[in-house]
Amino acid sequence: MADRRLKGKNIIITGASSGVGAEIARLCAQQGANLVLLARRIDKLIALKEELQHHFQVDVIACQLDVSNTTEIEEVFQEVFKQIDRVDVLVNNAGFGIFREAHEAEVKEIKEMFAVNVIGLLACTKMVLPKMIATRSGHIINIASQAGKMATPKSSVYAATKHAVLGYTNSLRMEMVRSNVYVTAVNPGPIATDFFTVADQSGTYVKNVGKYMLQPHDVAKKIVNSMLTQTREINLPRWMNIGSVFYTLFPQLVERLGKKAFFKK
């Protein structure tokens, strides 16, 4: 029997136009959830909305949103709130990275990564928290990264943004205990999405780790299964998370032994 835990729930997903975000939307719709799809590519959102409404009896709102623009975030969320009375789950999925060594990173790129991965995530969360606190229910799911636990060469800025996301998420989780709102961090390794068309323009990283990449559907399934449950973290794949734990305990040793592998980006 299908899991109907999410039936009738209102779920907002940023970065919903493709990859993990789109897969989350499909899985939620299968369970009868109503969806708010947010992303920059409105054409893809509309196509996904039509797909979901064709196959499932759910309400779907699609809105164009650039999460790097905090004014736009406020305006779009206020419009969404005119159409839904509560928010049950917010999935902060929007994000991007560019792999460069620190001295090569352009200030413009640095600002853009922090604007999307950190400030945008915080701003979207801030919009829904009052509603969740008022109803004493809800779930914030922040897509971070294994890079937020263990930084590697050529990902200094991206790792810094994901460290920030994890710090915010951990603090928010403790604050929200009083309001019965769940907060989950998702820390995936590399996923086979178009993320790497921007992050890894040389193709080197994908070539070296392609066979180890996670599939978007598998990651989305783990996330959807955690919705409205008290799940602290989702770490994928397990073997990579073991490396992150080992790094926390023995950072100098890991940096020395893993030096060659880390430079495969």
Side-chain angles (χ1 to χ4, degrees):
M1 184 176 178
D3 187 349
R4 307 301 285 178
R5 175 170 38 89
L6 301 180
K7 183 175 175 59
K9 302 299 184 182
N10 294 330
I11 299 174
I12 300 177
I13 307 167
T14 69
S17 60
S18 64
V20 173
E23 290 300 312
I24 291 172
R26 292 185 177 101
L27 290 170
C28 288
Q30 286 176 19
Q31 292 193 28
N34 301 314
L35 296 162
V36 178
L37 309 177
L38 306 175
R40 290 181 302 171
R41 295 178 291 184
I42 189 63
D43 57 328
K44 289 184 176 293
L45 286 185
I46 291 173
L48 179 59
K49 173 182 176 178
E50 292 174 350
E51 172 195 332
L52 298 179
Q53 290 185 323
H54 176 72
H55 292 290
F56 310 103
Q57 297 297 314
V58 296
D59 295 328
V60 183
I61 300 169
C63 297
Q64 187 172 35
L65 174 64
D66 179 354
V67 298
S68 70
N69 186 329
T70 54
T71 301
E72 192 173 312
I73 288 173
E74 185 169 354
E75 292 172 350
V76 169
F77 272 79
Q78 291 296 352
E79 284 301 311
V80 168
F81 293 158
K82 292 177 183 178
Q83 300 177 67
I84 61 173
D85 59 353
R86 72 180 192 279
V87 179
D88 296 295
V89 182
L90 168 66
V91 183
N92 283 307
N93 173 67
F96 80 103
I98 299 174
F99 292 160
R100 300 192 200 280
E101 293 195 21
H103 69 281
E104 297 175 328
E106 298 178 5
V107 173
K108 182 174 181 291
E109 293 174 349
I110 294 170
K111 288 181 176 180
E112 288 175 350
M113 271 188 271
F114 271 91
V116 173
N117 297 357
V118 183
I119 305 301
L121 180 148
L122 271 62
C124 290
T125 303
K126 182 175 171 57
M127 292 302 300
V128 304
L129 283 178
K131 288 188 173 293
M132 291 184 175
I133 292 170
T135 60
R136 294 189 58 78
S137 66
H139 196 169
I140 304 292
I141 300 177
N142 292 333
I143 310 301
S145 171
Q146 286 293 322
K149 293 191 161 190
M150 184 171 70
T152 56
K154 293 184 71 175
S155 63
S156 56
V157 178
Y158 179 70
T161 67
K162 295 305 182 177
H163 274 73
V165 169
L166 283 178
Y168 174 76
T169 304
N170 291 338
S171 179
L172 181 65
R173 184 185 301 110
M174 289 187 280
E175 292 178 5
M176 289 298 105
V177 166
R178 298 170 300 180
S179 300
N180 198 40
V181 174
Y182 301 144
V183 180
T184 300
V186 182
N187 303 308
I191 307 172
T193 67
D194 58 6
F195 172 91
F196 290 99
T197 60
V198 175
D200 177 42
Q201 295 180 7
S202 68
T204 304
Y205 185 67
V206 172
K207 181 180 178 181
N208 288 327
V209 305
K211 63 182 179 180
Y212 301 112
M213 283 190 171
L214 299 162
Q215 295 304 309
H217 179 81
D218 296 335
V219 176
K221 188 174 180 180
K222 290 280 188 181
I223 294 168
V224 173
N225 285 344
S226 78
M227 287 182 175
L228 301 178
T229 71
Q230 200 166 2
T231 302
R232 186 180 189 279
E233 286 188 351
I234 297 172
N235 294 291
L236 302 166
R238 289 183 179 179
W239 65 265
M240 186 174 285
N241 187 58
I242 290 171
S244 297
V245 172
F246 195 70
Y247 178 73
T248 301
L249 298 172
F250 308 104
Q252 190 171 0
L253 177 63
V254 172
E255 288 174 2
R256 186 171 74 250
L257 295 179
K259 185 176 180 180
K260 184 176 180 180
F262 291 156
F263 276 94
K264 284 190 174 182
K265 278 199 186 72

